[in-house]
Amino acid sequence: MVIFSKAEFKVYQYLQTHLDDVEIFTISKLANVCHTSTSAVLRFCQTLGYKGYKDFRFDVTHYLHHQQQKNSEDITDHMIDQYATSINQLKKLDRQQLDHLISVIRSGSKIHIVGIFHSSLPARLLHIGLQDLGMCSSYAGDLNAISHLTNIIDENDILIDFSISGLIENYRYALSALSHNMPKESFLITLNPNAQVKKYYQKLIVLPGISLSKESIVDIQSISIMFVELLLNRLHSKLD
């Protein structure tokens, strides 16, 4: 706890409501408006740990400018800008890969869609979206459900696996039973171009944005969800 002398406390009381004045006041001016002496102002600064008024004034000015910048930021605008950046990243998608996936989905083969943790939501949304388009699919959103699903998957089916990170541990736990019976049309949809698990899939779709996801306030699931929306709308246009 900082303890001020009577003269120093006058400076403290004034700055409680007039901190902005420090940016434009000399030490003499501040002492005058506080009805005290310059030595009292100097002691006030030293009590706070500064060598003198100059150092104190520098820190206060920096703080005030930082606060002004922070207060001027509109969190809504900032988030919208981040989402716009994410959407622009998706323009880099390989359209041939996208159209191939659509062609496979339309082929009439049984479709199985899986995803766990952060990847479960985009997987579920694709499952629901296909239902809305009159197309049947099965969905599994946790490791146990996926491991049970492997009992009904065969080589002629379609497997779509959402895995943001592409970690191999989840595959080994839930899908390793398919290692000798992986569908000919198996798709790994990931943000990680170096996904450990990609060697087990016939097709790899890498969503752009792995670097963005590390810097952005946008939820990492959003990139995969936007991909699902693009896929479903492109698929819908093919059905018309």
Side-chain angles (χ1 to χ4, degrees):
M1 180 178 179
V2 179
I3 300 176
F4 297 115
S5 67
K6 186 175 180 180
E8 294 166 8
F9 191 69
K10 289 182 179 180
V11 181
Y12 171 77
Q13 282 187 309
Y14 180 82
L15 294 181
Q16 285 290 295
T17 53
H18 300 85
L19 188 61
D20 291 2
D21 289 348
V22 173
E23 187 173 1
I24 58 174
F25 279 7
T26 63
I27 188 171
S28 298
K29 178 65 174 177
L30 182 58
N32 185 52
V33 298
C34 293
H35 305 291
T36 189
S37 63
T38 55
S39 59
V41 175
L42 178 59
R43 289 196 303 273
F44 167 81
C45 297
Q46 292 172 339
T47 299
L48 293 177
Y50 295 95
K51 291 182 179 179
Y53 180 70
K54 183 179 179 181
D55 293 334
F56 172 70
R57 183 181 180 186
F58 177 84
D59 267 8
V60 169
T61 301
H62 177 76
Y63 167 78
L64 292 172
H65 288 181
H66 176 74
Q67 285 298 108
Q68 289 170 359
Q69 181 180 8
K70 183 177 178 180
N71 293 336
S72 66
E73 289 181 355
D74 187 317
I75 186 63
T76 301
D77 285 347
H78 183 51
M79 288 194 70
I80 290 173
D81 288 342
Q82 291 287 343
Y83 273 103
T85 301
S86 300
I87 292 171
N88 284 328
Q89 288 280 321
L90 286 170
K91 289 181 179 178
K92 299 177 182 179
L93 279 172
D94 187 321
R95 307 305 165 89
Q96 289 185 335
Q97 282 188 328
L98 197 58
D99 285 339
H100 175 69
L101 176 56
I102 289 171
S103 175
V104 169
I105 290 174
R106 295 180 62 194
S107 68
S109 300
K110 288 191 296 183
I111 303 169
H112 308 283
I113 306 169
V114 300
I116 62 170
F117 305 126
H118 284 100
S119 301
S120 63
L121 183 55
R124 184 170 182 271
L125 288 176
L126 178 58
H127 169 62
I128 294 172
L130 292 179
Q131 286 183 326
D132 290 339
L133 294 176
M135 308 178 75
C136 294
S137 65
S138 59
Y139 158 74
D142 60 66
L143 291 173
N144 285 330
I146 294 172
S147 62
H148 288 300
L149 189 64
T150 59
N151 294 324
I152 63 170
I153 298 176
D154 63 41
E155 293 182 353
N156 297 317
D157 294 346
I158 301 164
L159 175 63
I160 301 173
D161 184 1
F162 285 86
S163 179
I164 290 173
S165 60
L167 294 177
I168 201 166
E169 288 78 6
N170 295 333
Y171 173 87
R172 286 173 176 166
Y173 183 87
L175 289 168
S176 58
L178 295 177
S179 58
H180 301 295
N181 196 36
M182 179 65 79
K184 296 176 182 177
E185 295 294 351
S186 56
F187 297 82
L188 174 66
I189 301 174
T190 181
L191 269 70
N192 184 5
N194 300 313
Q196 298 171 317
V197 75
K198 66 182 180 181
K199 61 183 178 181
Y200 296 107
Y201 296 80
Q202 297 298 318
K203 302 291 188 304
L204 173 69
I205 297 180
V206 179
L207 304 182
I210 189 66
S211 58
L212 177 69
S213 67
K214 295 177 181 178
E215 304 167 1
S216 175
I217 60 174
V218 172
D219 191 323
I220 195 171
Q221 297 174 99
S222 300
I223 297 174
S224 298
I225 290 170
M226 285 186 278
F227 167 78
V228 170
E229 289 298 314
L230 290 172
L231 178 64
L232 289 172
N233 278 277
R234 201 172 179 90
L235 176 59
H236 182 265
S237 69
K238 302 287 186 181
L239 298 177
D240 291 340

